[in-house]
Amino acid sequence: MKLSDLAMQVRAASRVMMETGAQVEPRPWGAFISSPTFPLYDLGNCAWIDRWPHGFTVENVIEEVAERCAEHRIPKERIYFMDSRLALPVQAALEEAGFSARASYEMIHLRRTDVEPRADVTVKEATRAEDIAAVWTLMGEGLGEDGFPEEDARQVLAFSPPKYETLSIHLFLAEVNGHPAGHATMFSHGGVGYILDLFTRTPDRRRGVGSALVLHLVSASREAGNRITGLTTSSTNGPAQTMYRKLGFFAAGEERYVVRDAAR
């Protein structure tokens, strides 16, 4: 199977995650996803372009997305492309309309690594109440470090638990010498083990926490019967890409999307 085909399977899993728990409105060009109760949750409010049907232009899509975002009071207009090639012919028009182009890499685990987890780092699936609570606390810390305003972070944390339950997303907790140091999440879809979140507390960075979490998730994905273990990471996050490559991941595809502030 081509790397591009593997990347598309990871992208499909990512889209399922975005659509779950949200309202999905099919359109001739793709779909508009909205979460009216949580308009600040970025991954629950966006458009996906699947095709450019005859008679539809990028200007039509921009107008529709703007109308939907205004209707649901969504502050950011986001447009994703199921195939990155769909973005290229309209990139200039989108930038002229005020959108900023972004990109993420789909990375696939393709080979074993000789990296070994450090002895003082332990990883376990969070199934006990106290471990689950620790994961949500760490997730809140991560949102704060990523620059999410307090209300945005609150909506993400409020929207996530029911979504995670619907998708049977597994929570994993990393500890260093017995104290919570990081977390990760993963779910399975169509034979793909998709790693959603990965976070290490600042005081525990450069201690092998991230590597231990990823190695544990790769093993858990394999045990769950998945053919592929993949994730999406920002094209500008060089340190994360370096770590993933050391752990046996390869960049298989590029997910393109655009963002602009909605009109107020």
Side-chain angles (χ1 to χ4, degrees):
M1 185 178 291
K2 297 179 180 178
L3 282 177
S4 58
D5 294 332
L6 296 175
M8 286 295 287
Q9 292 185 48
V10 172
R11 196 171 306 164
S14 172
R15 180 165 174 175
V16 166
M17 182 273 296
M18 293 184 187
E19 292 181 347
T20 299
Q23 297 178 7
V24 181
E25 180 185 355
R27 301 297 301 135
W29 40 263
F32 185 79
I33 303 169
S34 61
S35 305
T37 309
F38 302 98
L40 301 180
Y41 181 59
D42 55 350
L43 298 182
N45 297 282
C46 59
W48 276 89
I49 304 295
D50 297 330
R51 66 193 73 86
W52 290 116
H54 179 70
F56 277 81
T57 66
V58 65
E59 287 78 14
N60 297 142
V61 175
I62 291 173
E63 183 177 354
E64 284 196 40
V65 170
E67 289 176 354
R68 297 300 187 281
C69 288
E71 177 185 352
H72 298 300
R73 298 183 179 180
I74 299 167
K76 294 283 186 180
E77 298 173 12
R78 289 179 174 80
I79 302 175
Y80 289 81
F81 296 87
M82 197 61 193
D83 188 323
S84 59
R85 291 172 295 185
L86 293 168
L88 298 177
V90 299
Q91 196 72 51
L94 287 165
E95 292 178 357
E96 186 175 339
F99 284 90
S100 298
R102 309 281 175 83
S104 297
Y105 294 138
E106 285 109 1
M107 302 192 74
I108 312 290
H109 187 261
L110 294 177
R111 65 171 176 80
R112 296 186 180 276
T113 176
D114 57 3
V115 175
E116 293 288 342
R118 288 176 44 155
D120 59 344
V121 180
T122 59
V123 178
K124 59 184 175 182
E125 184 169 355
T127 55
R128 300 185 305 166
E130 56 265 39
D131 293 335
I132 294 171
V135 168
W136 291 116
T137 297
L138 287 165
M139 192 175 293
E141 287 186 32
L143 292 170
E145 290 195 9
D146 286 343
F148 278 69
E150 184 177 344
E151 178 59 19
D152 294 49
R154 188 195 68 78
Q155 290 198 16
V156 171
L157 292 173
F159 188 56
S160 295
K163 176 189 286 284
Y164 282 25
E165 184 175 352
T166 300
L167 287 171
S168 298
I169 293 176
H170 297 267
L171 311 179
F172 297 86
L173 176 67
E175 296 179 329
V176 174
N177 295 324
H179 76 264
H183 82 278
T185 61
M186 182 180 70
F187 78 102
S188 299
H189 173 75
V192 176
Y194 185 71
I195 299 174
L196 281 166
D197 306 303
L198 182 71
F199 171 71
T200 302
R201 295 179 67 245
T202 300
D204 295 302
R205 289 178 183 168
R206 300 187 181 279
R207 301 183 66 176
V209 174
S211 295
L213 280 163
V214 172
L215 291 172
H216 190 92
L217 266 62
V218 167
S219 177
S221 177
R222 189 182 304 117
E223 290 176 6
N226 293 311
R227 304 184 311 277
I228 303 167
T229 302
L231 53 86
T232 304
T233 187
S234 171
S235 61
T236 61
N237 193 344
Q241 293 168 36
T242 298
M243 179 186 72
Y244 294 136
R245 290 192 181 97
K246 287 181 179 179
L247 298 176
F249 285 77
F250 289 81
E254 184 179 60
E255 177 185 82
R256 289 179 175 267
Y257 63 102
V258 294
V259 182
R260 76 174 181 182
D261 291 331
R264 294 184 181 275

